[in-house]
Amino acid sequence: MASDPHRGQRGTSGSGSSGSSDQSGSEERKPQSDEAHSAFTPPLGVPCPPLPEDEHPTSEFALPSGLRSETPAEQEGSAFAPPSGTTGQTPMPAGSTALSYAFTPPHGIPAVRLTKEAPWQDRMRTMLRMPVGERPVPERVERADDETGPAVPRVLDLTLRIGEILLAGGEGAEDVEAAMFGVAHAYGLERVEPTVTFTLLSISYQPSLVDDPVTASRTVRRRGVDYNRLSAVFRLVDDIASEGITLEEAYRGLAEIRRNRHPYPSWALTVASGLLSGAASMLVGGGMLVFVAAAVGSMLGDRLAWLASARGLPEFYQFVVAAMPPAAVGVAFGLAHANVQASAVITGGLFALIPGRALVAGVHDGLTGYYITAAARLLEVGYLIVGIVVGVLSVLYIGLQLNPGLRRLNPEESLGSYNEPLVQIVAAMLLALAFCVLLQQERHTVAFATLNGGVAWVMYGALTFAEINPVPATAIAAGLVGLFGQLLSRYRYASALPYVTAAIGPLLPGSATYFGLLNFAQGHLPQGLTSLVQAASLALAIAVGVNLGAEVARLFLRAPGTEEAGARRAAKRTRGF
């Protein structure tokens, strides 16, 4: 039996006779290898040190005595699975897996179950307003072994196409992301991250921690106002998220939405533009002749804007040419010394041009944390308002040069003390009705939006009659519009924009804008700046009021996964730092 090599070396150096019995004495004294001359070999006559108990040499990397050994490193797991040592974790029910179980974090946030009992808007918005690290993993759809889900690239492409239509139609960034979440989750893509900016949509999907992510993007190059198409897309998303239609059916539904024609022809839009301006002129004290003059000027401006659009001019120049005819009609009446309130004619034309839809969407994005998209929307609003200012100021300056004493352009003559509640309520509802047509809304939403606009004006009139400042009065009336719009959209499982955008039309700051432009044309810069600051304050009050009303409505809606109404978490947990 072979002996231990260490024992052989030590025996050779210690006794000098570890060879065979038939070897000579000289051969017995000869070392067996060069290892006998090692500096670590004890010299002759020195006893060998005792062997360790485990009969193994000690490694230089061994832990010295008296020190505690490190705990072994845990096996690396998935970043999407709940940690095993989380404090306050709810015990996992029998038969569940870590991938399908939503755990409760230590600070007591309730687990969210993405069931189909609540509308998809509430479910997906709940996910969006939770921090990324605390979002629960949705329930995995069980499939047979031979069954495979839809192709990931096709699901991402469908998600981006739906998001493109919503964003191009004026929907807020949060609602666009919620819709993209709903589509992706419905087809089994749990770990997705959509990103929405003003002109770019992107979505990223990572199957697991070790797999490569799949990312797709789409650019929004054209925008169009068509709330009929917007409502159809919301119904399609509801069918995908709640009814579970197949991917091919979803593609067919999306193609049908794109092929659908607008519900109103172009001539109807021109007539609606005239009706809107005429109704707005009646809000500020105009009679029947003023109604007709404002309508004619607005329809001329609309036709010129269509012509500029057909020639490919940017939207800025379209607003410039659209603002000129109403101002020209008002100046013409003033130069002719006709018994017509020219200021009311110009004010009515401004109501049809103020970009209230883009303003509300921009402020909403800013209040919900989408600052890049909000900044881009507000910059667009700024450019469009500058276009209106250029068009109106050019005409007013020419008119004042021809006749510096144009008294009919003085707003205090007619706009300061007009108070006819019944006429103004009817005019406000006509204005909201015209806005519905211009926004290409579905016919069954027109009545609700028109009634909502009348209620908003009644609230505003009551508050101003009680001598409340116009800015908070406008904010409260707009908040009522947002509240009713959100409740109606909840009832209809649709977007809130068709019920909100047209209803805020009577609250738009047309008069304040006209005051500022007229003072600028007359050379009164301080008064003009004061009026424009008031117009900007009223516009921001409308946007903030609409958003606040929608948030108040959601306070009374039970969020999925919670037991009490109002147990809804905010989008962020910071205080600005």
Side-chain angles (χ1 to χ4, degrees), residues 21 41 160 169 201 221 319-320 374 392 413 418 427 442 448 462 469 561:
S21 61
T41 303
L160 289 173
L201 295 166
R221 303 188 184 277
F319 271 74
V320 171
V392 175
E413 289 187 358
Y418 183 72
E442 293 179 307
F448 293 103
N469 188 276

Side-chain angles (χ1 to χ4, degrees), residues 72-204:
E74 298 181 358
Q75 185 178 1
E76 183 178 1
S78 173
F80 304 101
S84 58
T86 303
T87 306
Q89 182 175 352
T90 307
M92 297 177 62
S96 63
T97 61
L99 290 176
S100 63
Y101 180 69
F103 67 95
T104 303
H107 45 270
I109 302 302
V112 178
R113 297 181 58 83
L114 298 179
T115 59
K116 297 182 180 180
E117 300 172 355
W120 64 267
Q121 294 99 321
D122 295 342
R123 290 180 282 152
M124 296 302 109
R125 190 177 289 110
T126 302
M127 291 283 290
L128 283 175
R129 297 194 173 188
M130 294 181 68
V132 178
E134 298 176 3
R135 289 177 185 170
V137 178
E139 297 179 356
R140 183 180 298 274
V141 179
E142 298 294 337
R143 296 190 179 94
D145 296 337
D146 56 347
E147 182 183 1
T148 58
V152 172
R154 296 199 67 197
V155 174
L156 297 183
D157 176 70
L158 176 67
T159 303
L160 289 173
R161 290 178 182 272
I162 289 176
E164 178 190 10
I165 296 178
L166 294 177
L167 187 62
E171 194 66 68
E174 185 183 34
D175 294 322
V176 175
E177 282 198 4
M180 296 173 69
F181 253 116
V183 174
H185 282 209
Y187 290 116
L189 306 187
E190 299 95 348
R191 304 175 187 97
V192 293
E193 278 300 327
T195 303
V196 176
T197 60
F198 187 56
T199 58
L200 181 65
L201 295 166
S202 64
I203 186 170
S204 178

Side-chain angles (χ1 to χ4, degrees), residues 453-491:
V455 171
W457 182 260
V458 169
M459 176 60 67
Y460 173 78
L463 293 175
T464 53
F465 181 77
E467 298 182 355
I468 296 178
N469 188 276
V471 174
T474 301
I476 294 173
L480 197 62
V481 170
L483 175 64
F484 287 168
Q486 186 64 35
L487 294 177
L488 287 172
S489 67
R490 165 85 174 193
Y491 175 73

Side-chain angles (χ1 to χ4, degrees), residues 302-393:
D302 182 76
R303 286 292 91 191
L304 286 177
W306 277 95
L307 181 61
S309 176
R311 296 295 181 181
L313 290 178
E315 198 171 12
F316 173 83
Y317 300 104
Q318 298 176 29
F319 271 74
V320 171
V321 299
M324 287 182 174
V329 172
V331 170
F333 278 110
L335 291 174
H337 299 283
N339 191 18
V340 175
Q341 299 160 347
S343 57
V345 175
I346 301 176
T347 302
L350 291 176
F351 267 87
L353 297 176
I354 296 176
R357 174 181 57 88
L359 177 66
V360 171
V363 175
H364 174 76
D365 289 342
L367 294 176
T368 52
Y370 297 85
Y371 301 114
I372 297 177
T373 308
R377 288 187 190 271
L378 294 178
L379 184 62
E380 180 191 34
V381 171
Y383 273 109
L384 299 182
I385 291 178
V386 169
I388 298 172
V389 169
V390 170
V392 175
L393 271 183

